[in-house]
Amino acid sequence: MRRLVITIQYDGSSYHGWQVQSNAVTVQQVFQNAVEKVFGERLDVKGCSRTDSGVHANMYVLTLDTDMNISNDGVIMALNSNLPSDIAVIDCKEADFDFHPRYSCTSKEYVYKLYNGRIRNPFLADYAFHYRYPIDAHYLNEQAQAFVGTYDYSGFCSSKSDVEDTVRTVKAFSVYREGDMVYFKVEADGFLYNMVRIMVGTLLFVSEGKIKKDSLKDVILSKDRKRAGKTAPPQGLYLNKVNY
């Protein structure tokens, strides 16, 4: 028996997130369909994270166990031959059986893409949030440093979450501009449901003056969801990197 660690990329536009659901098409379901064709049985596929509907992944790590004698390159080629064009396997390797794609992870990095052009770009509709009001990325980068550290982020979590431990350590947060694109990059030891999207929405409130300069730390410490910003739309969010 072998434990395969498989890395994929996917465009989440057509999917209701990663995890299998009874009434919607998900990335995990489609991936398991391909696995069944390649390995001849519906193997248990474990993923590194639950991504929301419409969210994308530049790097998503999963595992499956098999006793089939097929090379790692063969797994990549075979799975890609059975996957739709919006999901691709980019790596496959073997690991010890104590490796878990979620629990062995030391940190994750998300990137949120915002298109800050005056007129919407139809080619970015599913891949970036169009926000037409002026943004000072340097100012927001300064203000975003309030997120860095270990805090109870219960004020930055969807009410749909049932997680009891809401303390997370944010290791880095940066906001930067490239032309009309503004990027929000955040790394943490873990994330709550909708946490990154609420962080971005809160920084937009800072940009609009709805949250005063240098008061973001107070918003975090209040643990009050009503004091944070709106939840930014899902299409701008990418799981960018998973660290082990």
Side-chain angles (χ1 to χ4, degrees):
M1 187 66 70
R2 308 153 62 205
R3 174 154 296 176
L4 300 182
V5 180
I6 296 173
T7 304
I8 66 173
Q9 295 177 323
Y10 59 81
D11 174 346
S13 305
S14 301
Y15 302 101
H16 289 258
W18 162 261
Q19 192 169 14
V20 169
Q21 300 177 32
S22 59
N23 58 349
V25 178
T26 67
V27 178
Q28 185 180 23
Q29 174 191 337
V30 172
F31 190 84
Q32 284 183 316
N33 290 344
V35 167
E36 187 171 9
K37 291 179 181 177
V38 172
F39 293 92
E41 56 182 318
R42 201 164 187 82
L43 300 175
D44 182 28
V45 174
K46 293 183 172 64
C48 65
S49 180
R50 297 180 181 181
T51 55
D52 293 341
S53 177
V55 173
H56 315 290
N58 293 324
M59 177 184 181
Y60 190 96
V61 179
L62 56 90
T63 59
L64 59 85
D65 295 342
T66 179
D67 55 8
M68 181 179 286
N69 186 21
I70 178 174
S71 69
N72 294 341
D73 285 342
V75 170
I76 295 173
M77 298 302 293
L79 286 174
N80 282 335
S81 296
N82 288 280
L83 285 167
S85 60
D86 51 10
I87 303 174
V89 176
I90 60 173
D91 188 49
C92 176
K93 57 188 177 184
E94 294 186 35
D96 295 334
F97 285 100
D98 60 355
F99 177 87
H100 191 287
R102 180 179 177 186
Y103 301 119
S104 299
C105 171
T106 57
S107 70
K108 295 173 186 172
E109 180 183 270
Y110 279 89
V111 171
Y112 192 92
K113 298 182 181 182
L114 185 149
Y115 177 62
N116 196 215
R118 187 175 63 87
I119 305 223
R120 61 185 174 87
N121 183 333
F123 300 105
L124 294 176
D126 291 330
Y127 306 106
F129 170 40
H130 179 220
Y131 182 87
R132 62 187 179 87
Y133 304 103
I135 288 179
D136 182 340
H138 179 72
Y139 170 63
L140 288 191
N141 182 64
E142 290 180 340
Q143 296 300 298
Q145 301 317 303
F147 285 122
V148 178
T150 302
Y151 300 104
D152 183 339
Y153 276 101
S154 52
F156 289 79
C157 179
S158 168
S159 59
K160 296 179 181 179
S161 176
D162 57 0
V163 175
E164 294 183 4
D165 181 9
T166 52
V167 174
R168 297 291 185 272
T169 298
V170 175
K171 300 184 176 185
F173 203 126
S174 60
V175 182
Y176 57 96
R177 175 184 289 277
E178 293 181 0
D180 285 335
M181 296 296 297
V182 177
Y183 299 89
F184 300 75
K185 183 184 291 186
V186 55
E187 179 188 357
D189 62 354
F191 292 91
L192 302 172
Y193 185 48
N194 284 349
M195 181 172 162
V196 178
R197 290 165 58 191
I198 296 171
M199 285 174 154
V200 172
T202 301
L203 285 171
L204 293 180
F205 268 26
V206 171
S207 179
E208 296 165 7
K210 295 177 181 177
I211 294 176
K212 294 181 180 179
K213 180 180 180 181
D214 299 329
S215 65
L216 186 51
K217 187 78 73 180
D218 292 333
V219 175
I220 298 169
L221 294 176
S222 75
K223 298 182 284 186
D224 184 355
R225 177 67 187 89
K226 294 179 181 178
R227 290 190 59 184
K230 295 181 180 179
T231 304
Q235 70 268 23
L237 186 61
Y238 296 71
L239 175 56
N240 194 52
K241 190 176 181 181
V242 187
N243 297 308
Y244 294 96

